Amino acid sequence: MTFRQFAFNNVMRNKRTYAGYFLSSTFAVMVFFVYAIFAFHPSLSKGELNASVSQGLHFAEAIIYVFSFIFVLFSMSSFLKTRKKEFGLLVMHGMTNMQLRRMVFLENVFIGFFATISGITIGLVFAKMLLLAAENILELEKTLNFYFPVKAIGLTFVAFLLLFILISFATVAI
């Protein structure tokens, strides 16, 4: 068994331990993705709303990303605190600090990848409800039809994989 397999099996076998961190990460991804669907909607970018509204949506998206970073970082730190006994046992069995850090890094990347995929999937499920709600709140004359949000998927996937990798490096460095 390779070290990568050990970290992956650790995540898969201890689902209850990892569930809180996974769900909070999935929620952060979903919120960002649902907002990105709205921000990149073709009807809104064609000029039905003025350019300043579009810029405001993208600025708000950046703010959501910053708060998501803080939220996921806080979730990760509280998750690691609950695992101190497990880490102690691994060190007692001969795991070096470098191996422990590598294991935490790999586990966080695995969880982050699956949370990103899950958040995007759940966001796609709730996308039409968001578009209907936005249509009513903004009192638009035209309907906001459902579309397959390629730009939103790409932005969310890249942004959150980067976020999880940065958080993984930050937790390993501490």
Side-chain angles (χ1 to χ4, degrees):
M1 177 184 302
T2 65
F3 198 75
R4 216 174 287 144
Q5 290 171 330
F6 174 71
F8 181 76
N9 288 337
N10 200 19
V11 172
M12 295 309 288
R13 290 180 184 149
N14 297 319
K15 291 175 186 165
R16 184 173 284 173
T17 305
Y18 296 89
Y21 176 59
F22 175 77
L23 291 174
S24 64
S25 299
T26 301
F27 178 75
V29 172
M30 183 192 70
V31 167
F32 181 85
F33 177 68
V34 167
Y35 195 81
I37 287 174
F38 183 62
F40 285 113
H41 197 279
S43 296
L44 298 176
S45 63
K46 287 181 183 175
E48 291 179 20
L49 297 175
N50 58 20
S52 63
V53 172
S54 179
Q55 288 176 342
L57 288 172
H58 290 295
F59 180 72
E61 194 173 26
I63 292 172
I64 290 170
Y65 186 73
V66 169
F67 280 109
S68 295
F69 183 84
I70 294 167
F71 178 69
V72 172
L73 186 61
F74 177 74
S75 296
M76 180 64 181
S77 66
S78 65
F79 169 66
L80 287 176
K81 286 179 185 176
T82 63
R83 297 183 62 208
K84 283 193 177 210
K85 289 181 184 178
E86 179 185 343
F87 294 154
L89 282 172
L90 290 171
V91 169
M92 285 177 57
H93 284 289
M95 184 177 271
T96 65
N97 282 336
M98 191 61 174
Q99 289 173 329
L100 184 64
R101 289 178 179 180
R102 184 172 176 219
M103 183 189 75
V104 169
F105 177 81
L106 289 173
E107 288 175 354
N108 196 30
V109 169
F110 288 140
I111 292 170
F113 177 77
F114 290 117
T116 303
I117 298 296
S118 299
I120 290 172
T121 304
I122 294 168
L124 278 172
V125 170
F126 291 112
K128 184 58 182 172
M129 287 190 296
L130 167 81
L131 293 173
L132 287 173
E135 187 180 312
N136 291 330
I137 291 170
L138 295 174
E139 299 176 0
L140 296 175
E141 295 173 11
K142 282 190 155 185
T143 60
L144 294 176
N145 296 323
F146 181 76
Y147 73 106
F148 192 74
V150 176
K151 288 181 183 178
I153 290 172
L155 175 67
T156 304
F157 190 76
V158 169
F160 274 89
L161 282 183
L162 179 66
L163 180 136
F164 284 112
I165 289 171
L166 287 174
I167 287 176
S168 297
F169 278 124
T171 55
V172 168
I174 294 174

